[in-house]
Amino acid sequence: MARKPDKSLVVGLDIGTSKIVAIVGEIQPDGGVEVIGLGSHASRGLKRGMVVDIESTEQSIQRAVEEAELMADCEIHSVFAGIAGTHVSSRQSSGAVAIRDTEVTDSDVERVLESARAVAIPADQRILHVLPKGYVIDSTDGIRQPVGMSGVRLEVQVHLVTAANSAVQNVTKCVARCGLQVDDLILHSLASAESVLSEDEKELGIGLIDIGAGTTDIAVFAEGAIQHTACIPIAGDLVTSDIAVALRTPTLHAEEIKIKYACALEQLASSDETLQVPSVGDRPPRRLERQTLAQVVEARYRELFHHVQKQLRQSGCENLVPAGLVLTGGGARMEGVVELAEEIMHMPVRLGAPQHVRGLSEVVNNPIHATGVGLLLRGSRLDRPRAGGLGRGSSGGLVSRFKQWFQGEF
């Protein structure tokens, strides 16, 4: 059931705590990406971004991929997968090499990046990304594309992202058990930034806050480059848990109440609004004021944004974001979240949705798919030389991309 073999297709696989989403995109002649397939299934085997049940995760991935295949009318054999969790950490590093032929070549860039990643990391960690912040040639700094420039010495400042070996292996194992290959493993916050941030925002200085179900991921950009990444273990699942405990209702109903009625700012909930709350066991349902629900939700979101503020201050990034913050992810869609963030953070805040793709309306401009679309966009750029990430016939490029992944590139 393959589409035309000359189509250039790529697949993003968002492995999240609450859902697993497979998105198929078609690279257009003008370089744009059109979403042509979407598959989504509840995630049962992850907790705070980490795999805790391989079999359940495998089944969820399989069903999401099958749905995407059906909608896009193709066979998926490889994906660009996302990874997140509190096991992910970051640090700054630098490297320097002598320019061999007075003019910087791709080989020189590879060598200086290899020099920058030669740092001591714990034995149970591995380098996930080596992200250049800027190059220096002799005494000239602020260089972003050094290839072709003349000089004697090439230096680089990089942002290193590391992840737990076990977490990486568990994610790739779940994907492999579905008969799929991993073209690249990409940090969720970097993927989300790809789809919701503009180049102007990255240049001026912006902070991305991706509020998922299990974790809240942070990425700070300034001068067009990544400056800081972090992960906070406070997100949508804790809000659901708070509602379940405070309203004494089953977790399943608490999630439904959160989606339909929750508000992150009590003052936005009218005092005459009420909702029906199912009780535990055989007790009859009760009616409660929506303001009562808002009080519970606001307390947890306040805690979250205070942690974000603390993280920005400790990392020295608070003054690097004059453009403010962009909130995305499923947890950012709730009424009052943007207003509460502005009140606490004292800076401009907007809701971010995927902007750089076209196609399915349920994917485009929906913050819940920010990571999935970002994986698609990043994959489309990394994977341009080969005709699609679907493995329909030729698999050229897969082996080299997989080798790069194991070597920690990108």
Side-chain angles (χ1 to χ4, degrees), residues 238-259:
L238 283 181
V239 177
T240 302
S241 178
D242 288 348
I243 294 172
V245 172
L247 304 188
R248 298 188 299 279
T249 188
T251 303
L252 180 62
H253 294 301
E255 180 69 19
E256 294 174 356
I257 290 172
K258 181 182 76 173
I259 294 172

Side-chain angles (χ1 to χ4, degrees), residues 171-306:
V171 169
T172 53
K173 184 181 294 184
C174 291
V175 175
R177 287 176 60 160
C178 295
L180 304 171
Q181 286 186 313
V182 177
D183 285 339
D184 202 0
L185 201 59
I186 300 166
L187 186 65
H188 277 188
S189 56
L190 295 179
S192 297
E194 196 77 41
S195 67
V196 305
L197 299 183
S198 68
E199 292 304 317
D200 289 340
E201 287 176 324
K202 292 179 182 179
E203 188 66 37
L204 182 59
I206 193 80
L208 174 78
I209 313 299
D210 186 348
I211 308 174
T215 61
T216 294
D217 301 310
I218 301 173
V220 177
F221 290 82
E223 299 180 354
I226 185 73
Q227 303 295 326
H228 180 66
T229 54
C231 179
I232 297 173
I234 301 175
D237 280 354
L238 283 181
V239 177
T240 302
S241 178
D242 288 348
I243 294 172
V245 172
L247 304 188
R248 298 188 299 279
T249 188
T251 303
L252 180 62
H253 294 301
E255 180 69 19
E256 294 174 356
I257 290 172
K258 181 182 76 173
I259 294 172
K260 292 181 180 179
Y261 304 108
C263 177
L265 204 54
E266 182 185 352
Q267 65 194 55
L268 297 180
S270 174
S271 59
D272 57 0
E273 289 182 278
T274 62
L275 59 140
Q276 182 169 293
V277 180
S279 298
V280 179
D282 297 329
R283 299 180 183 89
R286 299 154 291 133
R287 295 205 70 84
L288 291 176
E289 292 183 354
R290 189 174 178 228
Q291 279 190 339
T292 303
L293 172 63
Q295 290 173 358
V296 175
V297 174
E298 181 178 336
R300 183 60 78 176
Y301 270 95
R302 279 188 179 277
E303 180 190 11
L304 168 61
F305 288 126
H306 281 306

Side-chain angles (χ1 to χ4, degrees), residues 311-325:
Q311 179 64 229
L312 293 178
R313 286 176 178 171
Q314 290 181 340
S315 63
C317 294
E318 191 173 26
N319 296 324
L320 296 180
V321 291
L325 299 177

Side-chain angles (χ1 to χ4, degrees), residues 97-118:
V97 295
I99 300 173
R100 284 176 174 167
D101 299 317
T102 71
E103 184 176 292
V104 179
T105 64
D106 289 329
S107 174
D108 293 319
V109 173
E110 290 176 7
R111 287 191 300 114
V112 78
L113 290 176
E114 190 65 29
S115 171
R117 58 193 306 275

Side-chain angles (χ1 to χ4, degrees), residues 126-128 168-169 172 182-186 400-410:
R126 57 148 290 153
I127 295 176
L128 192 65
V168 171
Q169 291 166 1
T172 53
V182 177
D183 285 339
D184 202 0
L185 201 59
I186 300 166
S400 62
R401 293 290 309 141
F402 212 51
K403 284 181 179 178
Q404 288 177 329
W405 177 80
F406 271 113
Q407 294 168 358
E409 297 297 331
F410 304 101

